[in-house]
Every structure is written in structure tokens, then in C-alpha cells.
Amino acid sequence: MRAARMHRYGERLVVEDVPTPTPGPGQVLIEVGGAGFCHSDIHVIDGEIRILPRLPLILGHENAGRVAARGAGVSSVNDGDAVAVFGGWGCGRCDYCVTGHEQLCETPQWAGLSVYDGGYAEFLLVPHERYLVKTTLDPVIAAPLTDAALTPYRAIKKSLPFLEPDHTALVIGLGGLGQYGLKLLKVLAACPVIVVDVQEEKLRIARDLGAEHVFSAADAELLAKIRAVTAGRGVNAAFDFVGSDVTLALAVAATRSLGKVSQIGLAGGATRMKVLENTRFEVQFEATLWGTIKELREVIALVESGALTPIPIERAPLEQINDVYARLKRGEVRGRAVITPAA
Ligand SMILES: [Zn+2]
Ligand SMILES: [Zn+2]
């Protein structure tokens, strides 16, 4: 099969022929119809996040496609079934796994980020059928739901107790995950949303998607303007889809007492929180990791019902994967770029 493999940190992916995997007992082989190119993969390829236990490795943790072959004992899917693939694979036995939080497993085996190859290839070997969610959606739409929608969904669902109708939410960064974050806030919460981004184009998208207030990240009066539209109080829940020093500092400073800051983006930033200095009392901080299998089912149900509409998708063949990397890094992808290995 054709696959895009990462051989070394800091180098381009290599599109080459590799053996097609054969599913063992309990495993399922998926023909990859869509593999979303995630911003996290840029951090991995560039060597900023060095978590890969082996190289070369096929990256790609946002996958959907059709069941191509089944190992012995697989009973919940049939050949040809269209599925979205949950990517937060775990051991299945630790406390996190047995309570449904498999993405938080003590020994994670995530698709395309562990010993297991990911979906930037014609076929993807999935270690267990429980990771498959059947769907009527086009795999190019379904693939980004498994991360770009699932991760903001979990962050927002866990922050809903902080978002009453007279409260305000803050979204920082309107890339693929931020756009799903804004859309999900509009579906799940009844409060106004402030969006901050560096690009004018992204602020225009935010207005189109119903954000009540949009501010440029370059605005010197940014924090004062956020306070002004929240009657001087600040926001009740901030969602940082960037995760840089600057954006984390903004999220903390903008959040009012009893509020919550959720970090979703992994740009490598850090911030300190000191009460009576840069943060209010009883502010909670949480770095969200992905979502659960059940939450993926919920996200897919939201899109299948029409309640949640997909973000813009750009399709790209496997051979163009390094161009996709470069365009995403330059901020030129409008919603999500999805690789289509089996097209
Ligand atoms: Zn991702
Ligand atoms: Zn586990």
C-alpha cells in the first residue's frame, strides 16, 4: 500500500510503498477514505513533541473509511461498513480505560502516535472493533470529527456548568478545532461568545459563525475590550485553541472568579497563575485531551442530525501531504485539510 511515513524529526514525510497489514484476531483493517491533517502532527514532525516510540512511523490520528477486512472474532462490523475511527487507543485494562476514558490510558497506544501506525496510508490497522463508530457521513467529513470536533466537544461539555445564559465564553484561535469549538458553543451553550484570532480572515469566519464579539489578537487594548463587553467581569469559560505563552496568559487574565480555563492547543506555551496578580479566585484550569468513545458517538450524532454542521474541508491526495503540512503551518488552511489515501 501507499503510505506517508515519518523517518526523522525535522524532515519531510516520505510517500512510499509499505506492506499492507493483515488483521489479527479481534483487529479490523480500514480502507482510509479520509485522514484529517492535525496541527499536532506539525509539532511532532518538527520535533517539538517527541513522543514516538519508533521511526519510521505512519502518522494520522483522525481517520474514517470502510471496513476492508476483519480478524477472527470481530462481530459488530461487516466488510464495507463506513466507520469513523476513535484514535485514543489504550490498554483496555487500566482504571481510565475501564471507566471509559481510554484516551487518558496510563500506557497510551494512540493511532499514528505510538507503536501503531496511523491513517496517512491506504489502509489502517485498528486493534479493536470498539474503536469503530458506524456512520452515514462521508469519510472526509467524518475523519475530522474524531479529533478536531471531539476534543473541543469534550472541553465544552465539561465546561457547560460554567456557562449560564448570562455568562460569556472566550475562544482563542479559530483554526479547525477553534471553528468546531465556536460551532459547538452555539449548539450546546446559550451564552454569547468572544473570538480572538491573529488573522482578519479568521475573525470574518467567526462573525459568519455567529460570534457576538470578535477581536484581533494584535489589539493592544484586547483585555480591556474583553472586560468592556462583559460588564467589567471577564469571561466564565475560556478555551485556548493555541496554547502559546501569550494566549494562555490572555485566557487566565480574562477569566473571572469561579470560571474555568481550558487549554486545547499544544503550541508549547506556559503561564503562571497567581491570585491577586494575574488570576481571580477559584479559577479552574484544565488541559483537555481528546475525548471518549462515547463522546465521539455523540459528536457524530450531532452532525448526522444536522444540529452541528461541518467546518470547511479541503481534500488532498496522499502524494500532496507535504504541501498540506506547509500550508497548515503557514495558516492557509481555512477549516481542515483531509488526506484521501484511498481516493
Ligand atoms: Zn490531533
Ligand atoms: Zn489503559
Side-chain angles (χ1 to χ4, degrees):
M1 67 174 181
R2 298 293 281 168
R5 291 204 298 178
M6 176 172 157
H7 285 251
R8 283 189 196 83
Y9 288 107
E11 291 185 6
R12 292 164 67 90
L13 303 180
V14 180
V15 180
E16 57 194 333
D17 288 311
V18 301
T20 302
T22 305
Q27 299 180 329
V28 183
L29 189 70
I30 303 298
E31 184 187 47
V32 182
F37 199 100
C38 180
H39 212 280
S40 304
D41 282 340
I42 289 180
H43 301 308
V44 172
I45 292 168
D46 290 353
E48 294 159 10
I49 299 175
R50 294 184 178 238
I51 59 170
L52 304 181
R54 69 165 167 92
L55 287 170
L57 187 79
I58 304 169
L59 303 183
H61 53 270
E62 259 190 26
N63 305 302
R66 289 194 177 277
V67 175
R70 291 167 295 147
V74 173
S75 60
S76 63
V77 290
N78 287 307
D79 289 357
D81 281 354
V83 292
V85 182
F86 174 79
W89 305 341
C91 71
R93 295 177 299 275
C94 74
D95 285 352
Y96 298 104
C97 286
V98 299
T99 54
H101 298 90
E102 189 157 343
Q103 77 284 2
L104 295 169
C105 178
E106 291 169 356
T107 52
Q109 307 286 313
W110 303 332
L113 292 166
S114 70
V115 292
Y116 284 106
D117 283 314
Y120 298 155
E122 285 176 88
F123 294 94
L124 168 69
L125 185 66
V126 178
H128 197 279
E129 60 192 298
R130 70 176 177 273
Y131 301 128
L132 305 176
V133 181
K134 286 190 217 177
T135 178
T136 56
L137 299 170
D138 181 334
V140 172
I141 301 294
L145 300 181
T146 67
D147 179 16
L150 176 59
T151 307
Y153 180 75
R154 178 173 177 81
I156 289 163
K157 196 175 167 188
K158 291 185 76 179
S159 295
L160 286 180
F162 297 80
L163 290 172
E164 286 159 12
D166 59 342
H167 287 176
T168 307
L170 171 64
V171 168
I172 304 172
L174 212 69
L177 274 74
Q179 287 174 43
Y180 264 126
L182 174 55
K183 281 171 173 277
L184 283 162
L185 280 165
K186 287 290 158 193
V187 173
L188 300 173
C191 67
V193 183
I194 302 169
V195 171
V196 172
D197 198 283
V198 287
Q199 290 183 21
E200 217 30 69
E201 161 75 3
K202 296 281 165 64
L203 296 179
R204 198 182 54 71
I205 294 170
R207 278 189 212 97
D208 290 347
L209 295 179
E212 276 74 9
H213 308 282
V214 302
F215 298 124
S216 167
D219 193 326
E221 303 297 313
L222 181 55
L223 193 55
K225 288 186 178 173
I226 290 171
R227 293 241 169 83
V229 297
T230 54
R233 300 188 185 103
V235 303
N236 304 75
F239 302 92
D240 183 358
F241 290 95
V242 181
S244 69
D245 290 353
V246 172
T247 57
L248 286 167
L250 173 67
V252 168
T255 301
R256 66 192 282 191
S257 290
L258 280 179
K260 181 174 177 185
V261 176
S262 298
Q263 177 187 349
I264 299 104
L266 297 173
T271 191
R272 60 192 240 115
M273 294 174 77
K274 185 178 178 189
V275 285
L276 301 172
E277 187 178 293
N278 73 328
T279 188
R280 312 292 177 85
F281 285 100
E282 302 195 22
V283 170
Q284 295 185 26
F285 180 89
E286 184 166 295
T288 306
L289 180 74
W290 225 323
T292 66
I293 298 172
K294 175 63 166 65
E295 286 163 346
L296 177 58
R297 292 178 182 177
E298 293 164 17
V299 168
I300 286 174
L302 277 175
V303 178
E304 286 183 345
S305 74
L308 176 66
T309 56
I311 61 174
I313 298 292
E314 299 179 12
R315 298 165 191 247
L318 190 63
E319 312 292 328
Q320 289 176 16
I321 194 164
N322 287 299
D323 301 325
V324 169
Y325 160 89
R327 294 188 54 248
L328 184 62
K329 195 169 176 174
R330 290 197 299 264
E332 293 172 8
V333 174
R334 190 167 184 272
R336 200 61 154 179
V338 177
I339 310 297
T340 55

